[in-house]
Amino acid sequence: MRTVGVEEELLLVDPRTGEPRALSQAVLAIAAKESRGRTHAFTKELQGQQLEFATHPQSGMKELAAEIERWRAEAARHAGEAGAAVVALATSPLPAGPALTEGKRYRWMQEHFGLTALEQLTCGCHVHVSVESDEEGVGVLDRIRPWLSVLLALSTNSPFWQGHDSGYNSYRSRVWGRWPSAGPVEIFGSAHRYHQQVRDLIGTGVLHDEGMIYFDARLSRNYPTVEVRAADVCLDASTTALLATLTRGLVDTAAREWREGEPPARHGVGLLRAAAWRAGRSGLDDELIHPLTMRPAPAEQVVYTLLAHIEQALDENGDLAYARQGLAELLSGGNGARVQRQLLRRTGSLREVVAACVRRTQGGR
């Protein structure tokens, strides 16, 4: 059974006002002190108002869900000691200014990308699924391309930007798409062609390093995994675990297709970009682009098409009942974008939206 790991980026906010606070260095210092020299799960990100953690590779989804909840709780505790709160929102509902993290690499990014770097206060969720080789990994990347927009739609959790409703369910995906290497990619066909594309992109001088290969899905540069990067950070830890479950099912299905010589769908990058735009705009609340037909279809129909596509893999992993239940609950109760808008309608205050989401991030409804 393939192992799965998750990286989540969280916002650090003022516990009274809900506004983002650049306290990541203080939080990381607290985490380092408490770990007493041992490796801990937390790292810095581009902006000082962000904190990232990474789980260990897990085979069981219950274990993965428990670890996500554990690290969220630890992040909240460390942040509290630094005078902040953590919240799993993919953008800040309240206005926020730039507070780039110190470091030579981040200064380079600011100098070269200007507002694109300064406005990147966005939080994503990255799912790592183990693969046996780069060849298998690229075979997977080529075959999951049409389905990544569905994962984005499931995760959407960023309707607000700088104090306003953006009109999108995932405005993070629109802001993130400003990077020159972000988004869908073409079919590679082999590991050699994938690595050549990476080398060529870095060779242009536009990207600082391989870490800026921001494809929606890529080979990890640090682990023997495929890293799926299309999703917003999810408001609820249960949604993150569901996303990881579906992602492993996609990777298993694509690897089997690759081994059996089934060719990938030939959808062009333009169509995939349109599907990603639709997913970011609509989330689960309107039509999506169907991955097989590339035509509009109701979101629920598209979601269950994904489930049918990976049903065999989910069943073999013992995840089918879990995935069915999780999707039914998500479609009924709504994802983070829907919850945030409901909170605003009920309270009339973005500050109250953030406060409620802080509680929900830590497991309280």
Side-chain angles (χ1 to χ4, degrees):
M1 189 179 296
R2 297 180 192 274
T3 57
V4 187
V6 167
E7 296 169 345
E8 280 196 325
E9 297 164 350
L10 304 172
L11 277 177
L12 295 167
V13 298
D14 189 291
R16 296 176 301 278
T17 68
E19 296 170 350
R21 296 194 64 188
L23 289 172
S24 64
Q25 295 292 351
V27 175
L28 289 170
I30 291 168
K33 182 179 179 181
E34 188 168 301
S35 67
R36 298 178 181 177
R38 299 187 302 273
T39 301
H40 57 78
F42 302 105
T43 59
K44 63 185 178 181
E45 256 298 333
L46 176 63
Q47 301 285 357
Q49 302 104 322
Q50 294 174 281
L51 182 70
E52 181 180 75
F53 71 80
T55 72
H56 296 91
Q58 301 284 359
S59 297
M61 291 300 105
K62 288 184 179 179
E63 291 77 9
L64 180 64
E67 189 175 358
I68 294 166
E69 291 172 1
R70 172 193 168 196
W71 290 124
R72 285 188 174 201
E74 287 289 288
R77 188 167 60 82
H78 296 324
E81 292 182 34
V86 293
V87 61
L89 296 177
T91 57
S92 170
L94 293 163
L100 260 70
T101 301
E102 288 295 322
K104 184 178 179 181
R105 182 173 185 266
Y106 293 143
R107 285 196 301 272
W108 186 95
M109 292 170 71
Q110 178 184 354
E111 291 168 1
H112 282 73
F113 292 100
L115 279 177
T116 295
L118 293 176
E119 292 184 345
Q120 282 296 330
L121 183 54
T122 61
C123 295
C125 175
H126 306 157
V127 180
H128 289 257
V129 183
S130 62
V131 289
E132 295 179 0
S133 66
D134 283 2
E135 287 295 344
E136 181 184 65
V138 172
V140 166
L141 295 180
D142 287 348
R143 287 160 180 79
I144 65 175
R145 295 160 71 245
W147 302 98
L148 298 180
S149 61
V150 189
L151 299 183
L152 170 60
L154 290 167
S155 73
T156 53
N157 186 30
S158 48
F160 302 117
W161 182 257
Q162 295 292 358
H164 301 283
D165 193 314
S166 68
Y168 289 80
N169 278 275
S170 171
Y171 196 63
R172 176 210 64 88
S173 62
R174 299 303 89 208
V175 176
W176 185 254
R178 298 172 190 172
W179 293 113
S181 60
V185 292
E186 67 269 31
I187 293 170
F188 294 107
S190 69
H192 173 76
R193 288 188 62 191
Y194 174 91
H195 290 300
Q196 187 61 54
Q197 173 79 307
V198 170
R199 287 191 294 269
D200 288 344
L201 280 169
I202 296 171
T204 66
V206 172
L207 309 182
H208 185 271
D209 51 32
E210 191 173 345
M212 288 191 70
I213 299 296
Y214 292 148
F215 302 159
D216 281 349
R218 68 184 184 186
L219 297 181
S220 171
R221 61 193 175 123
N222 298 317
Y223 309 107
T225 65
V226 164
E227 181 184 358
V228 177
R229 306 167 48 84
D232 283 7
V233 70
C234 300
L235 179 57
D236 297 325
S238 59
T239 308
T240 306
L242 174 63
L243 187 74
T245 302
L246 299 173
T247 302
R248 177 166 67 178
L250 267 176
V251 171
D252 277 328
T253 301
R256 184 180 68 247
E257 292 172 342
W258 171 73
R259 288 193 302 271
E260 294 174 354
E262 184 173 333
R266 308 301 298 186
H267 304 323
V269 170
L271 283 175
L272 297 179
R273 290 183 66 85
W277 181 89
R278 183 79 264 172
R281 181 73 165 86
S282 302
L284 298 176
D285 297 330
D286 201 345
E287 292 183 325
L288 297 172
I289 304 301
H290 197 290
L292 301 180
T293 66
M294 285 287 122
R295 294 294 182 267
E300 185 170 344
Q301 177 186 333
V302 172
V303 168
Y304 281 112
T305 299
L306 167 64
L307 184 65
H309 175 66
I310 63 176
E311 184 173 8
Q312 178 181 337
L314 291 172
D315 191 36
E316 290 171 353
N317 290 332
D319 294 334
L320 183 55
Y322 174 78
R324 282 177 175 162
Q325 180 181 347
L327 286 173
E329 291 175 353
L330 191 63
L331 288 165
S332 173
N335 56 18
R338 191 186 301 173
V339 168
Q340 287 188 63
R341 286 195 171 108
Q342 289 172 343
L343 286 167
L344 181 61
R345 285 195 295 269
R346 187 165 73 242
T347 67
S349 166
L350 288 175
R351 183 177 297 182
E352 291 301 321
V353 170
V354 177
C357 290
V358 166
R359 294 190 292 272
R360 191 153 174 160
T361 297
Q362 299 174 44
R365 294 294 180 102

